[in-house]
Amino acid sequence: MTNPPHLQVRLSKLMSERGICSRREAEDYMVRGLVYVNGVLVTELGTKVDPDVRITLGSEALQQQKSLVTILVNKPIGYVSAQPEKGYKPAIELINEGNYFEENQTRQGASLSSRHCPLEKSHFENLAVAGRLDIDSQGLLVFTQDGRLAKKLIGENSQVEKEYLVRVSGELTREKINLLEYGLELDGKKLKPAVIERINPEQLRFILKEGKKRQIRRMCDLVNLKILGLKRVRIGKLRLGPLPEGCWRYLSPFEEI
């Protein structure tokens, strides 16, 4: 017995919520005849289903998902994360053969790769940044074709940690650190608890589970601290590591977020 129609949800929305793919990808798969609900092929856009149905993808869709590319970039100051602004370049321009970086197999060191760069034109199709950095910030950027990964990183319910090293000037007290961790609001909404570690008198480590626009800078403004430098060094389990500034590498199949 099925649920009443008003309890059903769009198939594309359900696929996105389950992390199978993005809504756009779900609709593309349906049009191509690659989506099955309880073993039955579904091709009509806007189809609504019970929320507990079994959803499977055809082999072509599964193979396509395996081929999706994710790229890590060490963004320098002065580059914008997404759309170019007048006088500045977008970070995606750093993804070229000359800036390709590959760690060696032993992982005891790394160098700019002298091997042929496997970059292909298709790798730029639907490649989007998942979690921006300000133009005056530097560090780890993730570009991906995978809607599932993007949602995990920056979706509304994302719990993925982002770690930053922040140089500041101003009086750095325990009270200010406590406020940064638990006591601040932005845009009329209380921020999620943060982890703030004092590394030295001029440097803090921020670990956040959200990413409001210019969040760390605005947080520091509220406690009268001026930011001198901001660098993202980790997203989830992905670390910036030895990736040189201005260079990029592929996410390997063995890395976890």
Side-chain angles (χ1 to χ4, degrees):
M1 182 176 180
T2 60
N3 291 329
H6 67 278
L7 292 180
Q8 294 187 325
V9 296
R10 280 183 176 266
L11 177 56
S12 59
K13 181 175 185 290
L14 184 60
M15 292 172 70
S16 174
E17 289 174 348
R18 290 189 184 180
I20 296 173
C21 59
S22 69
R23 290 195 192 188
R24 180 188 57 77
E25 290 166 337
E27 292 174 351
D28 177 58
Y29 292 152
M30 280 190 275
V31 169
R32 293 162 56 193
L34 299 173
V35 179
Y36 297 83
V37 174
N38 293 335
V40 178
L41 179 65
V42 175
T43 59
E44 183 178 349
L45 297 180
T47 295
K48 291 189 175 183
V49 297
D50 295 340
D52 58 352
V53 296
R54 178 170 54 88
I55 303 171
T56 53
L57 297 180
S59 59
E60 184 181 340
L62 294 174
Q63 187 59 41
Q64 181 176 324
Q65 287 189 333
K66 289 181 180 178
S67 66
L68 294 174
V69 163
T70 296
I71 290 173
L72 311 184
V73 175
N74 186 348
K75 186 188 89 69
I77 293 171
Y79 282 81
V80 294
S81 297
Q83 296 299 319
E85 299 176 17
K86 187 175 181 180
Y88 299 99
K89 294 182 178 180
I92 198 168
E93 290 189 5
L94 295 167
I95 305 174
N96 58 60
E97 292 189 4
N99 293 334
Y100 176 54
F101 176 83
E102 184 177 65
E103 295 182 72
N104 65 24
Q105 295 300 312
T106 64
R107 301 186 68 81
Q108 293 176 350
S111 62
L112 289 177
S113 177
S114 60
R115 295 170 52 189
H116 172 67
C117 174
L119 187 64
E120 299 178 7
K121 186 177 180 180
S122 63
H123 294 170
F124 291 95
E125 295 176 4
N126 300 315
L127 187 68
V129 67
R132 301 181 182 186
L133 278 174
D134 302 330
I135 194 169
D136 44 3
S137 300
Q138 62 189 120
L140 183 59
L141 271 184
V142 177
F143 287 86
T144 186
Q145 296 176 324
D146 192 338
R148 300 166 300 170
L149 177 58
K151 182 177 180 180
K152 184 174 182 179
L153 292 181
I154 59 174
E156 184 177 351
N157 299 315
S158 174
Q159 292 297 310
V160 173
E161 292 182 345
K162 288 85 173 177
E163 180 178 340
Y164 304 80
L165 299 181
V166 183
R167 288 192 303 110
V168 298
S169 66
E171 185 181 8
L172 188 54
T173 64
R174 181 69 251 180
E175 289 74 21
K176 288 185 178 181
I177 292 177
N178 288 342
L179 281 172
L180 290 169
E181 288 186 314
Y182 301 108
L184 298 180
E185 293 185 0
L186 289 178
D187 305 321
K189 187 175 181 180
K190 191 171 180 62
L191 295 173
K192 293 180 181 179
V195 175
I196 312 296
E197 176 187 349
R198 182 172 178 169
I199 299 174
N200 58 50
E202 296 182 346
Q203 191 171 44
L204 295 170
R205 185 191 316 277
F206 278 68
I207 299 178
L208 307 179
K209 287 188 177 181
E210 59 189 332
K212 294 182 180 294
K213 186 174 182 179
R214 298 181 70 84
Q215 178 171 336
I216 293 177
R217 296 181 185 278
R218 294 165 69 194
M219 290 171 70
C220 287
D221 282 344
L222 290 174
V223 295
N224 296 315
L225 292 175
K226 181 180 179 181
I227 289 184
L228 304 177
L230 191 156
K231 183 176 185 178
R232 183 158 63 197
V233 296
R234 179 173 66 88
I235 300 176
K237 295 181 181 180
L238 296 178
R239 294 188 177 276
L240 188 61
L243 183 62
E245 185 174 306
C247 292
W248 65 275
R249 69 173 179 87
Y250 289 105
L251 178 72
S252 84
F254 309 104
E255 289 183 283
E256 297 181 14
I257 300 296

